[in-house]
Amino acid sequence: MTQIAPPPREVSPDDLAARKRSAGPAVRTLVSPLALASTKGRAVYWTIFTGVVLAFVLAFLFPVYWMVTGAMKSPDELVQTPPTLIPKTWSLSAYTDSWELMDLPTHLWNTVVQASGAWILQLVFCTAAAYALSKLKPAFGNVILGGILATLMVPAQALVVPKYLTVADLPIIHTSLLNDPLGIWLPAVANAFNLYLLKRFFDQIPRDVLEAAEIDGAGKLRTLWSILLPMSRPVLGVVSIFALVAVWQDFLWPLMVFSDTDKQPISVALVQLSQNISLSVLIAAMVIASIPMVLMFLVFQRHIIAGISAGSTKG
């Protein structure tokens, strides 16, 4: 006796979506898994991959090599055409001359003092302001935040003259901050971008964490110090890099604040003292001035990577 097959059941869109989710995400690559399974496919893949990586490494490291070796060349070899890829005679005299003739230790120390003070003050005040705007919800908080973000639309060059007049004659107390590190520290504190970056990170921290701290008896300041700051290490590392690099590479504002040569940072001193210095000595001074920034990147690189995913905190 023949059996009649039941009619096929219609598949709803929800069933199709459930099947796709159970099957897992589709993986798409430039090279198919079938091609990678063969010896020739793997050889071609790794050859292209190694070539691309080496090309990027050369593109980023060759300027560094050219600057470091340029300081080892003689002045005549440095300007000859075509240029030499490898110095004919390796000499470190340009580095020692730049260290002594341009008084690099003094200017590097001035830069460290100015950058460190601006960094510490910026972390303290920007973190406190971001915490207040994000978690304490003050009156007219959105209006205050909007006014702070509006300053990002003003070109930095348009603020130079008002800042200089303020620093030259500080309101109320009527004192001058020229030739004083405070002339660098105080304007650097008002950084709207870093404040907004910190606020956005604090916004994504679950409210339950703060409520648990309040139940345990922690006050507002204790919650910030013991709960939020340890959780904010990635974004604090990113903000630290932005703050230090901004002061370290700034030229126009330190040039206006420091008329005394002995108090100028390295960025200004390299220009002011390069008039009667040979090109190889000047390049050597630039190499020495860039070493602290390279070391800082190597120290904070894991914080940079963690800061990229800082906004992925789950509530």
Side-chain angles (χ1 to χ4, degrees), residues 45-64:
Y45 171 78
W46 285 111
T47 300
I48 296 176
F49 178 78
T50 304
V52 171
V53 171
L54 290 178
F56 275 98
V57 170
L58 290 176
F60 284 102
L61 294 184
F62 182 76
V64 178

Side-chain angles (χ1 to χ4, degrees), residues 145-312:
L145 180 62
I148 294 174
L149 296 181
T151 60
L152 295 175
M153 305 178 187
V154 181
Q157 293 78 7
L159 300 176
V160 171
V161 175
K163 283 199 305 182
Y164 181 80
L165 295 177
T166 303
V167 169
D169 184 14
L170 203 62
I172 301 176
I173 60 177
H174 297 289
T175 184
S176 175
L177 298 181
L178 298 179
N179 291 315
D180 192 312
L182 286 173
I184 301 295
W185 296 348
L186 296 183
V189 170
N191 192 303
F193 178 77
N194 287 343
L195 189 151
Y196 180 72
L197 191 65
L198 288 166
K199 180 187 178 300
R200 290 297 301 167
F201 183 86
F202 290 158
D203 286 343
Q204 299 186 15
I205 294 180
R207 184 67 187 176
D208 297 341
V209 176
L210 304 183
E211 293 177 353
E214 292 177 0
I215 294 174
D216 292 339
K220 303 297 183 183
L221 186 60
R222 181 70 176 179
T223 301
L224 173 63
W225 180 260
S226 301
I227 305 298
L228 289 184
L229 289 185
M231 298 176 64
S232 307
R233 288 179 182 176
V235 71
L236 290 177
V238 175
V239 169
S240 299
I241 292 174
F242 287 162
L244 291 172
V245 170
V247 177
W248 197 277
Q249 69 179 5
D250 195 8
F251 171 76
L252 179 59
W253 182 242
L255 177 63
M256 299 179 65
V257 172
F258 295 102
S259 58
D260 188 353
T261 306
D262 294 334
K263 296 182 179 180
Q264 291 176 344
I266 190 68
S267 59
V268 179
L270 288 178
V271 178
Q272 298 285 6
L273 303 177
S274 62
Q275 304 302 324
N276 300 320
I277 299 296
S278 64
L279 185 58
S280 58
V281 175
L282 179 60
I283 294 176
M286 293 179 179
V287 173
I288 295 174
S290 63
I291 290 176
M293 288 293 97
V294 175
L295 294 179
M296 187 189 69
F297 172 78
L298 295 178
V299 171
F300 286 103
Q301 61 176 341
R302 64 188 185 92
H303 295 288
I304 298 175
I305 298 173
I308 295 175
S309 57
S312 60

